[in-house]
Amino acid sequence: MPNRRTRTSLPPREPGIPAPDDVDAMTDAVLTASRLLVAISARSIASVDESITLSQFRLLVVLYARGPLKPTALAEALAVNPSTTTRMVDRLVAAGLVAREANPDSRRELVVKLTGDGTRAVREVMRRRRSEIARIVDRMPGGTRRGLVRALSAFAEASGDLSIGEQAGTRWL
């Protein structure tokens, strides 16, 4: 009898678990998780103040993390046009969540800063969002939870986006 090579087969995968090289399936899973996280953020914001948009909340979080900023620096941090920032700031000033003040370093310039109500709103939204995410993570099987931090950290690192580290420090989205 000729010597036949036996093929070693890979162990069977769990149903619903894509192969490690199935980029399309992985992309779909990340997009689904992303939609869930955005929905959680939107619900958390709406539960605190229905008039705040996601974009406005981003602005509040940047001020929360960095402190008072000149409008141009704020626009740069948000990666939007200065005119867009001006409109958002106008709405948030009217809502009492931010204030414009003279820059202590240069009286000819203004800075935008959070008010007490703005600070409380950011903290409450972050608390609610964290609580909802914790409930979801708690419902995950232990084995799956163990790999979650490793997988999400690798995903963030693979993005090569240095600003992710800054955003992680703010626990924003």
Side-chain angles (χ1 to χ4, degrees), residues 6-113:
T6 58
R7 225 181 219 181
T8 56
S9 61
L10 296 173
R13 284 193 317 275
E14 291 180 47
I17 305 294
D21 60 348
D22 189 344
V23 174
D24 285 339
M26 299 291 176
T27 300
D28 289 343
V30 171
L31 287 170
T32 298
S34 174
R35 283 191 299 272
L36 172 63
L37 291 170
V38 169
I40 289 169
S41 292
R43 280 194 303 267
S44 299
I45 293 166
S47 70
V48 171
D49 186 335
E50 288 185 356
S51 68
I52 300 173
T53 66
L54 278 169
S55 296
Q56 291 169 343
F57 186 69
R58 278 187 63 222
L59 184 150
L60 296 175
V61 170
V62 167
L63 292 175
Y64 183 82
R66 297 186 186 179
L69 291 173
K70 294 188 278 185
T72 53
L74 186 53
E76 192 173 295
L78 294 170
V80 298
N81 291 322
S83 62
T84 301
T85 302
T86 299
R87 287 189 299 276
M88 282 196 292
V89 168
D90 288 344
R91 289 182 188 113
L92 293 169
V93 166
L97 300 173
V98 301
R100 287 185 186 96
E101 294 184 351
N103 186 344
D105 297 330
S106 170
R107 309 283 299 158
R108 294 182 298 170
E109 295 177 324
L110 293 176
V111 292
V112 179
K113 70 175 223 164

Side-chain angles (χ1 to χ4, degrees), residues 146-167:
R146 281 189 283 281
L148 184 62
V149 171
R150 187 175 64 247
L152 292 175
S153 296
F155 179 80
E157 187 176 315
S159 78
D161 188 345
L162 298 177
S163 68
I164 295 296
E166 291 175 18
Q167 291 175 2

